[in-house]
Amino acid sequence: MFPEKTRSVREPRAAGFWPLALVFTLFVIFLYGPMVTIFVLSFQGPEGGLTFPLRGLSLHWFRQLAEGLGTVDIAAALRRSLLLGAVVMGLTIVLSVLAGLAFRKKLRGGDALFYVSVASLIMPSIIISLGIGLQFRLLDGGLKWLLTLLGEHSPYLQETLENYGTALGLMTSALGAHLTWTLPFGLLIMFAVFNRFNPAYEEAARDLGATPWQTFRHVVLPLIGPSVVGVGMFGFTLSWDEIARTSQAIGDVNTLPLELQGLTSTVTTPAIYALGTLTTVVSLLVMGLTVALAWWLGRQRKV
Amino acid sequence: MNTNTATSLRTLPAWWQAGPFGAVFLLFFLIPLALVLVVSFWHFSEYELIPGFTLDNYLTIFEGCASLTEQGDFCVTLSTYLSTLKFCFLVWLATLVLGFAVAYFLAFHVRSPGMQTVLFVLCTVPFWTSNVIRMISWVPLLGRNGLVNQTLMGLGLIEQPVEWLLFSDFSVVLAFVHLYTMFMIVPIFNSMMRIDRSLLEAASDAGASGWQTLWNVVVPLSKTGILIGSIFVITIVMGDFVTIGVMGGQQIASVGKIIQVQTQYLQFPLAAANAVILLAVVLMIIWGLTRLVDIRKEL
């Protein structure tokens, strides 16, 4: 049999190749074009506005951004988003890998769990967000009622009640909201990974007397390593950009995308483009680092 | 999948491993959904929720919907749903046609797997930029003094800047297509890659034209991908309030927007009733779609 490559060079292009190639090219321009314009415009001079022509070249708007946009604390929002993204990433990795392992065995109710997570994936986010918001507000109400009831006899509990704000928060409701979005992706990736996984390696390890933990640590984990990094990257980037599920479930503070959404209607200077350029750079850095890490892990495995 | 690895890690029962994963969905998905349903039947005052059972919230939502208004319009709820469904249909159609064409090109016309991967990654990179950024990146292009208007005026095609480019139905659909066509491309491409190439040769040997092959072989075999992509796009557009808000200049109503505004005014039972109705509509659409394709059979 001829190798695929030599054959493909000789065959003429099928009918429809060029029109479709044109469609594809236009699609790529459509994807990148607008983004390139705001990267360019974020380097406007101090006189520059929201549209072309470009008036001078400077880092003016990035400096403006560092000084803050109005009342919004961008740096704090950035830190919150990074922190939440990192925690979501870690939990997505651990929970998805564990669930992926569980699904390889006989898991009673596994189908139900699978359908629930897929349902979460396609559920309109505003509904989940509203539900989690409600849940935590009702929890607040319940806790306050309980503290009032018990507080009659205890000054300590009364003080707790006075200081109690809300259970809504970055690491409670918002974290949960993000996980309902990242975990289904994690599980689907783990399915894809374990479908291609050859269990002979594990059997060999067991035959050699490895404990289940040793088998996992030294055989399974290195083999699935690059995909696990991919799951982590999905977790971080999905969280980093999440608005709809966070909107009702975060309480008093905001993440960066939520601040950004608010700024679109109030900020009318290229500083908002500078912010766009900045967040894009962070995303691309994360992606670059994870791709490098996955590649490095893949290479370690072969050596 | 289960049988040949049933013995692995036997010491840990499967539910110990799947438990934390399941707990997240119980705590942050199933219970919240149940609460939305329950609270949609509650009373509320300006500052608190009052447990009980009332259909008032639903009645409020459909107030005046039994007949047309004096101006001959639908009631607010119906017209909002019609507007949201209109966006849904337009975005679905545009992403389907574009996504199918791109997936078809990648799956059948790009022959080397290496090139396929490169082009595929090229399409996914923008996906990693914030959605809001991708939305506002249309402003310098579509605005009154934007690049498109400048170009058209420079060419002498128009005298006045075109106003409907930005903060309009057009810009909303454009942004949706820009943001979510990938959700169509990935599943359709996935389905297409599973099609046995000899089927296409057989079709052409049997004398089918290119279009006949496309319509009678490729489209039916890509149905699962089309369905999955459609479900993604439709559920996103139905519940959206961010894209329609930003790209519509906060002027266009949508179901998601109504829910969001009602929660801002702490009208949670009303918002919950709206969410229940939205969920029912979305589930009906999905149910209708799955009648067309048996998704479980093909997974």
Side-chain angles (χ1 to χ4, degrees):
Chain A
M1 212 170 85
F2 293 110
E4 199 65 27
K5 269 191 183 148
T6 52
R7 225 183 56 188
S8 68
V9 174
R10 284 189 208 133
E11 265 181 36
R13 289 294 185 188
F17 174 82
W18 292 113
L20 280 172
L22 182 69
V23 169
F24 182 79
T25 314
L26 290 176
F27 177 67
V28 171
I29 295 173
F30 171 67
L31 280 186
Y32 285 83
M35 281 160 56
V36 172
T37 53
I38 73 156
F39 296 157
V40 173
L41 288 174
S42 65
F43 292 99
Q44 291 249 33
E47 306 293 304
L50 284 173
T51 52
F52 285 102
L54 203 61
R55 296 202 182 91
L57 267 179
S58 75
L59 291 175
H60 176 81
W61 299 107
F62 287 91
R63 274 197 295 276
Q64 287 285 103
L65 187 65
E67 284 162 21
L69 293 175
T71 54
V72 179
D73 190 348
I74 295 292
L78 180 80
R79 277 198 301 275
R80 279 194 287 270
S81 273
L82 283 172
L83 175 68
L84 183 58
V87 175
V88 169
M89 178 174 76
L91 283 174
T92 306
I93 289 179
V94 174
L95 299 188
S96 305
V97 170
L98 281 176
L101 288 172
F103 270 97
R104 296 172 73 204
K105 305 186 233 178
K106 203 172 168 61
L107 182 65
R108 199 178 297 161
D111 276 356
L113 184 59
F114 173 72
Y115 284 120
V116 164
S117 62
V118 169
S120 166
L121 190 62
I122 60 172
M123 179 73 51
S125 296
I126 183 79
I127 299 179
I128 297 185
S129 189
L130 172 68
I132 296 177
L134 268 175
Q135 184 186 17
F136 278 77
R137 271 164 223 276
L138 291 173
L139 187 68
D140 284 347
L143 281 175
K144 279 179 189 164
W145 175 80
L146 199 67
L147 285 173
T148 323
L149 199 71
L150 300 174
E152 279 176 35
H153 311 292
S154 152
Y156 172 72
L157 282 179
Q158 247 168 5
E159 201 183 331
T160 317
L161 175 65
E162 275 157 28
N163 294 330
Y164 185 82
T166 173
L168 281 161
L170 196 64
M171 284 303 145
T172 54
S173 48
L175 176 63
H178 280 210
L179 287 176
T180 62
W181 178 228
T182 60
L183 286 179
F185 283 100
L187 185 66
L188 289 175
I189 297 175
M190 291 321 294
F191 275 180
V193 170
F194 281 126
N195 271 341
R196 282 176 299 169
F197 192 83
N198 184 355
Y201 294 113
E202 286 163 282
E203 278 160 33
R206 265 198 309 279
D207 290 346
L208 291 169
T211 64
W213 170 247
Q214 283 174 326
T215 312
F216 177 73
R217 171 68 190 81
H218 297 290
V219 178
V220 179
L221 196 57
L223 283 169
I224 64 172
S227 314
V228 170
V229 172
V231 170
M233 176 171 78
F234 254 90
F236 183 87
T237 48
L238 289 172
S239 159
W240 175 248
D241 192 27
E242 171 50 44
I243 294 179
R245 280 180 201 227
T246 331
S247 61
Q248 314 301 326
I250 188 147
D252 306 330
V253 292
N254 274 339
T255 55
L256 194 59
L258 280 166
E259 294 288 13
L260 199 54
Q261 189 211 351
L263 290 173
T264 54
S265 49
T266 53
V267 177
T268 49
T269 64
I272 195 163
Y273 296 160
L275 183 56
T277 305
L278 197 72
T279 57
T280 304
V281 168
V282 171
S283 312
L284 293 180
L285 271 180
V286 169
M287 191 167 64
L289 282 175
T290 41
V291 168
L293 184 63
W295 176 81
W296 182 75
L297 284 175
R299 227 178 55 129
Q300 292 290 99
R301 187 177 60 177
K302 284 187 192 107
V303 171
Chain B
M1 194 167 85
N2 288 326
T3 49
N4 51 0
T5 55
T7 47
S8 78
L9 296 184
R10 186 180 258 158
T11 47
L12 270 183
W15 267 106
W16 276 83
Q17 291 174 326
F21 187 94
V24 169
F25 287 97
L26 180 69
L27 273 179
F28 297 104
F29 181 64
L30 295 176
I31 293 178
L33 276 188
L35 286 175
V36 168
L37 186 66
V38 169
V39 171
S40 74
F41 295 108
W42 283 14
H43 298 277
F44 65 100
S45 69
E46 270 164 44
Y47 50 91
E48 64 175 345
L49 301 170
I50 306 157
F53 181 86
T54 174
L55 291 172
D56 284 356
N57 302 311
Y58 291 93
L59 291 176
T60 311
I61 290 170
F62 287 112
E63 209 174 295
C65 288
S67 58
L68 298 180
T69 62
E70 282 165 25
Q71 288 80 35
D73 297 323
F74 292 108
C75 62
V76 178
T77 303
L78 275 185
S79 49
T80 309
Y81 266 94
L82 283 178
S83 151
T84 311
L85 284 169
K86 175 191 75 183
F87 281 120
C88 216
F89 177 74
L90 290 174
V91 173
W92 172 75
L93 197 66
T95 52
L96 178 62
V97 171
L98 187 58
F100 190 88
V102 170
Y104 188 85
F105 176 76
L106 288 175
F108 294 112
H109 284 293
V110 178
R111 287 161 181 167
S112 86
M115 196 61 187
Q116 241 166 15
T117 313
V118 168
L119 293 181
F120 201 81
V121 170
L122 192 69
C123 291
T124 35
V125 168
F127 186 70
W128 263 269
T129 302
S130 161
N131 279 355
V132 177
I133 299 301
R134 293 172 70 194
M135 285 174 216
I136 59 168
S137 66
W138 284 103
V139 173
L141 295 177
L142 300 180
R144 199 165 186 283
N145 301 309
L147 211 52
V148 173
N149 271 325
Q150 283 175 12
T151 312
L152 289 176
M153 284 174 54
L155 291 171
L157 289 174
I158 50 169
E159 306 250 307
Q160 295 290 317
V162 182
E163 299 277 359
W164 54 261
L165 287 175
L166 193 62
F167 303 142
S168 60
D169 289 8
F170 170 78
S171 60
V172 171
V173 174
L174 189 77
F176 271 126
V177 172
H178 189 213
L179 293 172
Y180 300 120
T181 301
M182 264 327 272
F183 282 112
M184 276 291 190
I185 296 177
V186 174
I188 296 179
F189 176 77
N190 210 7
S191 295
M192 282 178 173
M193 290 307 284
R194 290 194 206 166
I195 297 177
D196 188 346
R197 296 302 189 265
S198 56
L199 288 175
L200 302 185
E201 280 173 37
S204 112
D205 288 348
S209 70
W211 285 111
Q212 283 174 323
T213 312
L214 182 71
W215 189 247
N216 296 314
V217 181
V218 179
V219 170
L221 291 174
S222 318
K223 248 160 107 183
T224 324
I226 293 174
L227 179 76
I228 294 174
S230 302
I231 290 177
F232 263 117
V233 169
I234 288 169
T235 50
I236 288 171
V237 180
M238 282 306 289
D240 179 88
F241 62 94
V242 181
T243 315
I244 293 181
V246 172
M247 295 310 284
Q250 310 295 345
Q251 297 299 312
I252 300 173
S254 75
V255 184
K257 187 90 192 159
I258 289 183
I259 297 177
Q260 194 224 1
V261 169
Q262 282 169 342
T263 56
Q264 268 169 8
Y265 291 106
L266 303 180
Q267 301 170 324
F268 286 105
L270 265 183
N274 263 313
V276 170
I277 297 168
L278 170 65
L279 186 57
V281 172
V282 170
L283 286 179
M284 275 194 297
I285 298 177
I286 293 178
W287 181 81
L289 284 171
T290 49
R291 289 304 95 187
L292 303 173
V293 185
D294 184 359
I295 191 164
R296 267 169 300 184
K297 204 178 71 193
E298 309 200 30
L299 263 180

